[in-house]
Amino acid sequence: MYKGLLKHPKVVLTADRTLMSPYRGISLASFFGCAPAIDPNRSHNTLLYKLLRNQVTPRILFDFICNPISHHNGIADYAPYGLRKVEASLVRDGYSTEDVVVAHPDYVEKFIGPETEVVGTYEMDPLGMGPVTMTFTYGRKQMSYDEFYNRDLHMKINRAKEKNGSKAKVIAGASGTWQYNYDPAKIEEYGLYGIVEGDLGGIGPEIDGAGASFFDALINNELDTANPFKKNPFKVEIKEFERSGNMYHGRFIHYWNEPKVDEIPTIINPSMHGMIEVMRGCGRGCKFCDVTLRPLRYYPVEKVVKEIEINMKYGGLKNAWVHSDDIFVYGLNPRTTKNMQPNREALEELFSGIMSTGIEHTNPTHGTLAGAIADERLIPNISKIIRASPDNMIGIQCGFETGSIRLIGKYADRKLSPFKPSEWHWVVKNGIKTLNENYWVPAFTLIMGLDNDETVEDSWETIELIHSLETEQPDSKFTTTPLTFVPIGLLEKSDFFDIGNTMDAPKLGVMYKTWQHNFKYGIQKFMHKVGRDNPVKNVFFAGLARTLGGVPLGAMERYARKRGPEHERVIEKIKANYW
Ligand code: SF4
């Protein structure tokens, strides 16, 4: 039982360590959760095994970077934004603050007891099948830290239930729950009562709109079985899976209503990294993305300001990480706005409102390069408002996707609007130039094996585009992260890109080129930032940067040697001509 309260809370919400870490104040480092943790197949006769056993990224290093969130008596001081929304929706709809707790993963067992009805876990990449993770673990041949710590959390929950005599239903939610369809044995292993799934593949349902009605239905056993005769906003589907001669079952709960903006609750406690939301949905229609399937809605400035004030008042936060799918779409109507022309006035008003709260730093999470340069006054004006400077650089994640004009035109033509697919290389180069000149640094993601349709020529076009950026604009600042194709959005019927078995030589080349680039800019820079306040630490982290950068490049070189001369030739060609 936790201090200060007389009984265990009815609803315990939590998330694993990789989602409950401030990552030493560097929000983009949250990608480290995708790093490989365990190699179950490592030979016991190797020196590496003698040194590290099965560990791939040493746990001591990972745990240092992914430091645990602070807490008070086991109650997390900060939590993932989505979890905060669920908490807020319950309190808004009549649950008392003593009935709902957001628990620190290391102390979750204190809160689970006989009175606990539901344990809700927030899961973004529970089985390490997200695109970044699949890339780092060679298609799940190794276990990622995301999966490692999610498993660890479920084991803790199960132990606590057993020890404390709890019959609580464990329910997994958020955008990664689709992964249980691909490894249903885990449903049983983790003892999951249910999995909240969106109606459209990987897209997470907006359960915060449903609030208490969802938890009431859970608690009252209304979701135990599928009942086609009762009208219910939650559709229960009992799925049956056969895997290697074994049968597995899972209760998947679907919810597909999209709340209107005023039905979306406002957070009541601080979110991780100071995250707040300004919009849901994106009208650009990229075929490989599930966000675009949601209707587009914008928060009014007052609602955004309220959430920042919560983070400042109760979390002492001085920054606002603005969740957006394409921030440059904010305030426009994709059906009527010609060529997706950004609504500069709306964006200026939004960022002025954000800065009026007194925060010191803000940056949007995502934006498109085309949107950034569609109006030449847009980035300079926003930069002025948010006081971007060499000491206040603005990070933004942008989809680079591919250097192939053919692929971008086929799968994401509106991502480029108002420009044409044939102008893609120009858009990338000018986008980076404009962003960098105004103190923004894009973190690019690329998709490897897009819809299993990427040809040798497509891969080389990507390598050449990155290289031409490095040579034509040598001072450019950007990072590149290759992701393997995962079938979601309009391509949910396609197959995963199987990086472990089907990566041809040029695709390995794309991966190698992106890491070469990151090594030069991203990793060294990150480590310098971590160690900047202490010269000894600085030397240590510079060494660490060399090791971290060298490890994936070395691993890819070894992989190429194993695969044969064609793969080796591509690596040699990149080293000789594209470095
Ligand atoms: S621009 Fe980004 S968020 Fe919008 S549809 Fe394309 S990939 Fe999805």
Side-chain angles (χ1 to χ4, degrees), residues 341 344 372-381 434 438:
Q341 191 61 24
R344 179 162 30 90
I373 57 172
D375 171 344
E376 59 183 27
R377 282 158 63 194
L378 182 65
I379 291 294
N381 286 13
T434 303
N438 290 283

Side-chain angles (χ1 to χ4, degrees), residues 271-289:
S271 62
M272 196 69 71
H273 312 301
M275 181 167 295
I276 47 101
E277 178 178 57
V278 298
M279 60 196 283
R280 287 188 182 177
C282 168
R284 291 214 180 244
C286 304
K287 295 193 175 67
F288 44 78
C289 170

